[in-house]
Amino acid sequence: MALPKLAASPAYYSLVTANSFVLGQTAWHYRPARFRSTHPQQRTLTSTPARQDQQLENYNARQDQPPPLPPPSRDTNPRTTSKTNSTSSTDTRPTSTSDDSSNTCLPPGWEDNPDYKITDFSQLPHRNFGYNQHIKINDDFKESLRQILWQFRAPIRYAFAYGSGVFSQKSGSSTNTSTDLSPHPNPPKAVQDWQASGAKIIDFVFGVTHTQHWHSLNLTQHPSHYSGLRYLPYASAAISHIQDDFGAGIYYNPYITVNGTMIKYGVVNLDTLATDLSDWNTLYLAGRLQKPVKILRDDARIRLANQVNLISALRTALLMLPERFTERTLYERIAGLSYLGDPRMTSFFGLGASEDPRKIRNIVGAQLPGFRQLYVPLIENLPNVCFDDRRMPRGVGWEKEDAVRHTGSSGTGSESEVLGGVEGLDLRQDMDPVKRGNMVRRLPKTFRRKLYFAYKKEFGIPGSAFDEVLEASEDETGAGGVGTGGGGGGGFRRREGGDFERRIAGQEDLVEMMAKCVRSTVAWPSATQSVKGIFTGGLGRSWKYYGEKRAKGKKGVSGEGGKDGKGEKGE
């Protein structure tokens, strides 16, 4: 009698329904691959976070390939055709506005109102926008780096590897580091092969959406990665506060072994990273991305902000250079920006600098093709600078092909094999005060204001008049503008220099004044970041890190450093 009553009960049917639903969902989740839909919309609805990361990695892998060439132009020499952009009609190189032109990484007017709130790559100004940021490296080594990212369950939205563990910082082979002890306990073969000339710790930066949530997950999975701060009450909140509110907004865990490889990784909030790239608040993170890095996970908003960062670095270097110069001089000036004012390049209390004084020259000497890939597309889009060298290739996208030719080793090949040799190709810039005034006006917002205040004092401009100058330099035309947020209400002015900017561009002390502004931007965040490292990395690991850097600096001084007697703090 009990069974018929149970069968008639509503609770019985609810229980059966719930179990059927769970079993059905389990069967659907573990269905064979041949029954899985390939329709894009359905794939998006059913994809797991791991699958989304794999799709993103597949997209990033495609960025390593040279872009397809655009249709041939009717002009056999594309650099002799005048631009269609009315604001730069004096330039002699074309800028195509067609989406079919895959090499157009900077469509006209793209930076007048960049939308830093974008969430998808389809919202970028061009379908191949920012392709220059993806530097080609050995495929096996790249896969080893990506496998390291997979060991973190906390979500990483943007990631890149950088430094001497990824790209060689030795020009030539005068200092042989192959006999040094490897820091890696049991590295994969790809890492051993790539670092055959000298094994080094591999540096990473992870961009995350929610700082405290990320550290909470990572503390649970990898508590040993953290210093004694992990024992604090509400450790994830304390670590997040230390990361976001002190120094440059990044939290480093050094001397961490993952997959048998010794790494150092920094965690930064994506908002902090985007702001530094676009405005140069600290130049700590922006400076790292001004040099070749290997992007392992990409983000549309960060790619847009980094393109602003790269072209800003190019303009800053041009304002600090004469009419004629070489590629190497340009790239050394760019690479040296973030080291101006860096306490690691300065001796304190007789301890000596913790960085190799020839670091900048070594970086550019070994990575010139990588710098070329980053900046040649930007050079070809600026109206006031051009290559002035008969060795200049005529094909479109030659800089990417040149960089790919030098892939396969960590950069220890001979500099003479690089197109143009040790110094690269020759360039020339237009010293017209109007164009240089426009470059001053287009410097990053925070950095530009520092330069304005520096010349306010030098020019003796009264406060009321200077307020008018600042108001005229604002990007927004009226209320409702969105500033660096972009993409909102209000209109934007075309960023063209006025009398004040042209006067600045014509000053004889412009190089020294800009260097002073860079130092004031870099010095305090770098110093506080170094102090913060004592707490975040622990005293023992911090002292070990300083000792290794100091030893490397001494080796550079005693080795190549004595040849010309010149330091490399920004030539």
Side-chain angles (χ1 to χ4, degrees), residues 288-453:
R288 279 155 175 74
L289 283 161
Q290 288 165 4
K291 297 178 278 289
V293 304
K294 182 54 194 173
I295 298 173
L296 301 168
R297 291 187 186 173
D298 206 353
D299 177 87
R301 177 172 57 138
I302 301 302
R303 185 190 292 192
L304 174 61
N306 192 33
Q307 201 75 336
V308 172
N309 173 46
L310 294 174
I311 200 167
S312 297
L314 177 59
R315 288 191 176 111
T316 302
L318 290 174
L319 287 168
M320 301 173 75
L321 289 171
E323 181 178 3
R324 295 182 180 275
F325 49 92
T326 65
E327 275 189 289
R328 180 161 187 159
T329 303
L330 172 65
Y331 302 148
E332 285 185 5
R333 177 65 73 181
I334 292 172
L337 289 176
S338 59
Y339 288 107
L340 287 172
D342 192 330
R344 295 174 302 172
M345 304 295 287
T346 307
S347 175
F348 291 103
F349 308 111
L351 295 175
S354 62
E355 287 285 6
D356 184 350
R358 295 184 59 86
K359 186 180 183 71
I360 298 167
R361 187 168 183 83
N362 289 342
I363 290 173
V364 176
Q367 302 175 37
L368 195 145
F371 277 94
R372 183 174 277 165
Q373 181 185 324
L374 281 175
Y375 291 103
V376 166
L378 310 183
I379 292 171
E380 293 183 341
N381 277 271
L382 287 182
N384 57 316
V385 60
C386 64
F387 284 92
D388 189 23
D389 198 312
R390 287 186 294 181
R391 298 169 294 180
M392 171 78 174
R394 296 298 181 184
V396 178
W398 65 270
E399 75 286 345
K400 184 84 172 181
E401 296 174 2
D402 182 64
V404 170
R405 276 198 305 271
H406 292 84
T407 301
S409 67
S410 57
T412 55
S414 173
E415 294 173 341
S416 61
E417 298 174 0
V418 178
L419 178 63
V422 175
E423 296 298 323
L425 301 175
D426 297 327
L427 295 100
R428 172 176 54 86
Q429 65 171 320
D430 191 342
M431 305 300 284
D432 176 64
V434 174
K435 293 181 179 179
R436 290 177 69 79
N438 288 342
M439 285 203 298
V440 171
R441 175 65 183 83
R442 288 177 174 268
L443 293 173
K445 182 178 179 180
T446 303
F447 178 76
R448 186 178 72 236
R449 288 177 67 91
K450 290 182 180 180
L451 186 63
Y452 285 179
F453 274 100

Side-chain angles (χ1 to χ4, degrees), residues 377-554:
L378 310 183
I379 292 171
E380 293 183 341
N381 277 271
L382 287 182
N384 57 316
V385 60
C386 64
F387 284 92
D388 189 23
D389 198 312
R390 287 186 294 181
R391 298 169 294 180
M392 171 78 174
R394 296 298 181 184
V396 178
W398 65 270
E399 75 286 345
K400 184 84 172 181
E401 296 174 2
D402 182 64
V404 170
R405 276 198 305 271
H406 292 84
T407 301
S409 67
S410 57
T412 55
S414 173
E415 294 173 341
S416 61
E417 298 174 0
V418 178
L419 178 63
V422 175
E423 296 298 323
L425 301 175
D426 297 327
L427 295 100
R428 172 176 54 86
Q429 65 171 320
D430 191 342
M431 305 300 284
D432 176 64
V434 174
K435 293 181 179 179
R436 290 177 69 79
N438 288 342
M439 285 203 298
V440 171
R441 175 65 183 83
R442 288 177 174 268
L443 293 173
K445 182 178 179 180
T446 303
F447 178 76
R448 186 178 72 236
R449 288 177 67 91
K450 290 182 180 180
L451 186 63
Y452 285 179
F453 274 100
Y455 274 107
K456 169 187 180 292
K457 183 177 181 180
E458 183 167 319
F459 294 161
I461 301 176
S464 57
F466 187 69
D467 290 341
E468 295 178 2
V469 171
L470 290 180
E471 183 179 353
S473 71
E474 292 299 322
D475 296 334
E476 301 85 358
T477 58
V482 291
T484 57
F492 276 70
R493 297 186 178 99
R494 291 194 63 82
R495 295 190 291 170
E496 297 178 353
D499 293 337
F500 184 64
E501 286 83 7
R502 289 193 285 271
R503 186 180 177 188
I504 289 176
Q507 295 300 304
E508 294 183 356
D509 65 343
L510 178 61
V511 176
E512 291 78 9
M513 195 66 76
M514 292 191 71
K516 180 180 178 181
C517 291
V518 172
R519 289 190 187 95
S520 66
T521 302
V522 172
W524 179 248
S526 294
T528 52
Q529 189 70 37
S530 297
V531 173
K532 186 170 78 172
I534 299 175
F535 299 94
T536 60
L539 183 60
R541 288 193 288 191
S542 298
W543 183 254
K544 178 182 178 182
Y545 179 77
Y546 171 81
E548 291 181 355
K549 286 285 188 179
R550 177 63 186 140
K552 225 191 290 186
K554 287 182 177 179

Side-chain angles (χ1 to χ4, degrees), residues 225-277:
H225 289 190
Y226 292 84
S227 66
L229 294 177
R230 69 179 184 270
Y231 298 115
L232 293 174
Y234 307 104
S236 63
I239 290 171
S240 176
H241 173 64
I242 292 172
Q243 172 185 321
D244 293 333
D245 299 332
F246 295 93
I250 188 167
Y251 187 102
Y252 275 107
N253 282 327
Y255 298 105
I256 306 300
T257 301
V258 180
N259 288 353
T261 305
M262 183 74 73
I263 71 170
K264 179 183 75 173
Y265 67 90
V267 183
V268 62
N269 188 284
L270 287 177
D271 293 334
T272 301
L273 177 57
T275 301
D276 193 39
L277 291 172

